[in-house]
Amino acid sequence: ISTISVPTNEVSAPADEPAVSGTTAKPAEGAVENQENGPKIAVEVKTLADALKEIAAEKGKWTVVDVWSTSCIPCMREFPHLVELAKKYPDKVRCVSINVDYVGLKSKTPESYVPAVEEFLKKQKAEFKNYLSATPDSDVFTELEIESIPAIVVLGPDGEKKKTFTDDNSGDDGITYEGDVIPWLESQLK
């Protein structure tokens, strides 16, 4: 059993790009606001290292980290099940999402992806911690040791990585919450 490693050598931005530290993106102009009295659904733009530090710092519950993209149809199809999981086990499971839309182009900053990501999260009512990785997607894949998305990393209450679900270790139809993640997690919650 290993931990999610937090890289000590951050991939630096090219000389003509500003380095990105943790920022909370502001809602895009004209963005649909949340319903009154409802929790704020937002996405934080952070490097993978900073997001993983925050995730690992919160212990005490099982943590399900969904790595996804708005360009990934299976990711978007499975995302509602993450929301359901958060509602089903609020005292035992903490859900987190890490969006990997940013591909590292200097012409398209991580912040430029925020409106589309927030729109999707609001439609899903994703009332948990949501990150948009300021680390390019290929570097995220390398660091998390995943080949593709969707990918779901599960940490135990001790903050240690217990399981990673990807298409490589799932059923013939690819990774699903109902067929892979939830049965395994429920066996751990007993």
Side-chain angles (χ1 to χ4, degrees), residues 6-47:
V6 178
T8 54
N9 298 9
E10 203 42 57
V11 176
S12 57
D16 60 343
E17 285 185 46
V20 178
S21 61
T23 60
T24 301
K26 295 182 175 126
E29 191 137 316
V32 178
E33 289 299 316
N34 294 315
Q35 297 83 8
E36 273 186 41
N37 302 324
K40 175 144 176 47
I41 297 172
V43 62
E44 290 185 56
V45 175
K46 292 196 180 246
T47 62

Side-chain angles (χ1 to χ4, degrees), residues 39-44 64-66 68 78-87 93-98 120-121 124-131 177:
K40 175 144 176 47
I41 297 172
V43 62
E44 290 185 56
V64 177
V65 181
D66 191 312
W68 68 284
E78 287 301 312
F79 200 92
H81 298 290
L82 178 68
V83 175
E84 290 170 12
L85 184 63
K87 291 177 181 174
V93 177
R94 180 172 63 108
C95 294
V96 177
S97 81
I98 299 178
F120 176 77
L121 293 170
Q124 299 302 314
K125 298 181 180 164
E127 300 172 356
F128 41 76
K129 193 71 144 176
N130 297 288
Y131 297 99
Y177 275 90

Side-chain angles (χ1 to χ4, degrees), residues 36-169:
E36 273 186 41
N37 302 324
K40 175 144 176 47
I41 297 172
V43 62
E44 290 185 56
V45 175
K46 292 196 180 246
T47 62
L48 179 64
D50 288 344
L52 293 178
K53 283 178 195 170
E54 282 187 11
I55 293 166
E58 291 188 42
K59 295 180 172 77
K61 292 183 182 183
W62 285 86
T63 302
V64 177
V65 181
D66 191 312
V67 182
W68 68 284
S69 170
T70 59
S71 64
C72 168
I73 300 221
C75 297
M76 294 173 73
R77 181 184 63 233
E78 287 301 312
F79 200 92
H81 298 290
L82 178 68
V83 175
E84 290 170 12
L85 184 63
K87 291 177 181 174
K88 186 173 182 179
Y89 296 109
D91 297 331
K92 296 180 179 181
V93 177
R94 180 172 63 108
C95 294
V96 177
S97 81
I98 299 178
N99 176 278
V100 293
D101 280 1
Y102 177 60
V103 296
L105 298 175
K106 67 179 171 179
S107 62
K108 196 153 183 188
T109 66
E111 289 80 7
S112 68
Y113 294 91
V114 169
V117 171
E118 277 192 341
E119 179 182 349
F120 176 77
L121 293 170
K122 288 175 183 178
K123 284 180 183 174
Q124 299 302 314
K125 298 181 180 164
E127 300 172 356
F128 41 76
K129 193 71 144 176
N130 297 288
Y131 297 99
L132 190 153
S133 177
T135 303
D137 62 346
S138 60
D139 295 336
V140 171
F141 286 22
T142 300
E143 182 59 36
L144 295 179
E145 299 175 343
I146 57 175
E147 294 290 322
S148 62
I149 51 174
I152 298 153
V153 179
V154 182
L155 308 178
D158 57 0
E160 299 287 316
K161 181 166 62 170
K162 304 298 183 188
K163 182 96 172 151
T164 300
F165 293 91
T166 65
D167 281 346
D168 294 338
N169 64 10

